[in-house]
Amino acid sequence: QAQLVESGGDLVHPGDSLKLSCAVSGVTFPYYTIGWFRQAPGKEREGVSCIAAHNGDKYYADSVKGRFTISRDKTSNTVSLQMNSVKPEDTGVYYCAVMRGVLLLRLWEPNAYSYWGQGTLVNVSS
């Protein structure tokens, strides 16, 4: 059974930086994608960034391009999301998730992901 555990959420000020981590274990798919999603209060869950486990290809939502960087430590199978120049609209619960394969047309669809972590709260406020 796959297990994903997020950490690193915090209360930060606009313009600050923050790094989230997702420890991934138990995934048996030969190819898979690890994604970061976020959900603000009263809003739908939206994709932020994802990385293909087998070749490290990275993808970003337009709203975070140039500010967020996704990376993966293969040894520990930990995926990190470095968040720079955060904005109040980055506030939300951040989840990591695993999708079987690399479905380019479905990268930002939560329903395409099979396993989810419990989430970590990021609050950007002055």
Side-chain angles (χ1 to χ4, degrees), residues 40-89:
K43 294 189 176 182
E44 293 186 353
R45 195 168 296 189
E46 64 170 349
V48 174
S49 182
C50 52
I51 186 167
H54 70 286
N55 64 6
D57 281 354
K58 303 174 183 180
Y59 306 89
Y60 298 94
D62 288 342
S63 58
V64 305
K65 278 181 183 176
R67 299 189 299 121
F68 291 10
T69 302
I70 192 170
S71 62
R72 176 172 174 254
D73 183 325
K74 289 185 178 181
T75 302
S76 61
N77 206 13
T78 298
V79 176
S80 297
L81 185 69
Q82 177 67 44
M83 306 167 61
N84 297 332
S85 303
V86 297
K87 304 175 181 179
E89 50 264 43

Side-chain angles (χ1 to χ4, degrees), residues 99-117:
M99 173 173 68
R100 182 183 187 122
V102 186
L103 308 178
L104 295 180
L105 296 180
R106 302 192 67 194
L107 290 177
W108 311 125
E109 294 182 22
N111 288 339
Y113 288 75
S114 302
Y115 302 111
W116 291 84

